[in-house]
Amino acid sequence: MTIDVLRRPGPAERQARAAVAVLFFTNGALFANLLPRYPQIKADLGIGNAAYGLAVAAFPAGAVVAGLGAGVLVRRLGSARAAVASTLLTAAGILVAGLAQSVMLFAMALFLAGAMDAFTDVAQNAHGLRVQRRYGRSIINSFHAIWSIGAVTGGAMAAGAIALDLPLGVHLLISGVLFGITACVALRFCLPGPDTEPAEETETETGTETKGESREKGSTGGGRSAVISRTRYVLAALVLIATAGTLVEDAGNSWAALYLSDSLNASAALAASGFIALVGAQFVGRILGDRFVDRFGQRAVARAGGLIAAVGMGLALAVPTVPGTILGFAAAGFGVATLVPAAMHEADELPGLKPGSGLTIVSWLMRLGFLLSPPIVGLVADEAGLRLGLLVVPLAGALVVVLAGVLGARKRHPASSEG
């Protein structure tokens, strides 16, 4: 048995799991400390809505532009070091954005923060998947649930700072130093050594061979061509699955409150329930996701989730009521909860790619969902109404049902006493 197939995690694995959870928490909390401060920054800079919109778009733009470099950084520094280094730079970018005295500097700082956030995203997921391999069972969804907790914590910290009338620079300096130190401490407990683990031994009809040897059999001639074609197809499908998850998430972020208030005449307080329902259900889905994946497999969980999102939100749009729409957003959030972690896990295991490359490509391209979804839905909404624009949610769920076959089926692990 190699280090990859441990079934009873020891103290090192447990500490590494906690360390990765801390990295996800800090990543969620850092940017969330800045978001509630946007209105103050906009007022201080004296800019209009158009200039503001272009400036804040620098964050996802930075992530898209720099995202493909994450794999190189992970291979050179190691996933844990890359995650912590980019976390520190993200904190620096956020601090500069908060202190910026011009729109240009504000946008440039957000661009830097977005680029570093993309590096952090790939690196922390890469290390989380490495820890997951040591556990021998799914734990990646729990990390994404911790990210949600970090985002809520960061937003609450910002709200508290605003209530206390804490200066913006002081607030973001405290946040950056606090979470920067936290990430550095977590680094001490991450897994040591290179990210490429020893090859896993697998049973074959002719005996025992390593995973690497198994892949080598198809690496020459027509076999190699078939492997490359298969890898490209699977990678494209994984990108679409992850993007479907981001499209649904963005629908809740950008349009839930607007649809409930403008189209269904809900009060402002009640309209906020759509976003809360989606995020809350997504958190629950991620908490339960690892258990579901271990029991039923990634493929079945994704298909069921896609069906729940498509049917739940489809019914809400077909019969528009305020309670039904809130439940529809909740169904959508629960349904897509495991999609991004599942796509990242499968991409990280694809043969024929350098370590971290598949994960980097999926993470990079799925961010286009966040970048392109708002203008696309907005254009449809302007022409035919927001109700029709929100059909992107059930359509995304249906797409997942169709493509989920590229995800792994249920794995049978040796019995373990680990709970």
Side-chain angles (χ1 to χ4, degrees):
M1 179 179 294
T2 71
I3 196 170
D4 259 0
V5 292
L6 286 173
R7 291 294 178 259
R8 183 181 297 175
E13 287 72 36
R14 294 179 186 276
Q15 289 177 355
R17 181 179 182 178
V20 174
V22 169
L23 293 178
F24 272 80
F25 181 89
T26 59
N27 181 242
L30 272 173
F31 191 55
N33 265 277
L34 179 65
L35 287 174
R37 292 288 202 164
Y38 271 176
Q40 178 184 343
I41 294 173
K42 180 176 179 292
D44 290 344
L45 293 176
I47 55 178
N49 289 327
Y52 168 76
L54 288 172
V56 297
F59 187 90
V64 170
V65 170
L68 278 181
V72 176
L73 185 68
V74 167
R75 287 192 292 274
R76 288 185 177 179
L77 295 183
S79 55
R81 290 179 180 174
V84 173
S86 53
T87 293
L88 297 176
L89 290 173
T90 300
I94 290 171
L95 176 60
V96 173
L99 296 174
Q101 299 297 310
S102 69
V103 180
M104 182 61 68
L105 182 57
F106 175 60
M108 290 175 60
L110 285 182
F111 187 91
L112 169 65
M116 294 302 102
D117 181 72
F119 290 168
T120 304
D121 188 39
V122 172
Q124 67 187 8
N125 274 285
H127 204 76
L129 289 168
R130 183 183 171 196
V131 175
Q132 176 172 278
R133 288 192 292 271
R134 299 278 289 262
Y135 263 69
R137 57 184 173 86
S138 179
I139 59 173
I140 190 67
N141 289 288
S142 66
F143 294 139
H144 286 257
I146 295 295
W147 185 94
S148 299
I149 296 175
V152 172
T153 302
M157 287 175 60
I162 293 170
L164 295 172
D165 201 23
L166 197 65
L168 181 57
V170 175
H171 162 216
L172 294 179
L173 179 61
I174 292 173
S175 169
V177 171
L178 173 63
F179 293 117
I181 291 174
T182 301
C184 290
V185 172
L187 178 61
R188 296 185 57 197
F189 300 97
C190 290
L191 294 175
D195 285 286
T196 304
E197 302 283 7
E200 179 180 343
E201 293 181 353
T202 56
E203 294 295 327
T204 68
E205 293 181 0
T206 58
T208 301
E209 62 183 20
T210 68
K211 186 186 293 184
E213 290 169 349
S214 178
R215 291 175 180 175
E216 285 292 330
K217 288 184 176 181
S219 63
T220 59
R224 181 178 183 182
S225 177
V227 169
I228 292 174
S229 297
R230 167 69 179 171
T231 297
R232 288 175 177 172
Y233 163 74
V234 172
L235 190 59
L238 293 175
V239 168
L240 290 175
I241 289 172
T243 303
T246 62
L247 285 173
V248 173
E249 187 175 340
D250 183 73
N253 293 345
S254 303
W255 303 106
L258 190 63
Y259 176 66
L260 283 163
S261 60
D262 289 1
S263 301
L264 301 182
N265 299 315
S267 66
L270 189 57
S273 300
F275 168 72
I276 294 170
L278 185 143
V279 174
Q282 186 181 52
F283 171 74
V284 172
R286 286 175 171 173
I287 287 292
L288 300 175
D290 290 316
R291 194 169 298 177
F292 287 160
V293 167
D294 282 334
R295 183 168 183 178
F296 303 109
Q298 297 275 22
R299 184 182 305 166
V301 172
R303 277 182 175 152
L307 187 62
I308 290 171
V311 173
M313 198 62 194
L315 288 174
L317 294 173
V319 186
T321 65
V322 172
T325 299
I326 293 173
L327 289 175
F329 277 113
F334 185 82
V336 304
T338 66
L339 295 186
V340 171
M344 287 182 167
H345 171 258
E346 293 295 331
D348 200 47
E349 299 290 320
L350 284 176
L353 297 176
K354 293 180 180 180
S357 294
L359 178 60
T360 297
I361 292 170
V362 169
S363 177
W364 178 60
L365 289 178
M366 79 175 187
R367 288 177 180 267
L368 291 176
F370 284 115
L371 194 61
L372 299 178
S373 174
I376 291 174
V377 174
L379 286 172
V380 175
D382 283 344
E383 294 296 326
L386 186 51
R387 182 183 173 193
L388 189 63
L390 285 174
L391 280 175
V392 68
V393 176
L395 288 176
L399 181 66
V400 171
V401 173
V402 173
L403 296 177
V406 300
L407 297 173
R410 180 182 178 186
K411 294 182 181 180
R412 295 184 177 182
H413 296 304
S416 170
S417 61
E418 173 59 29

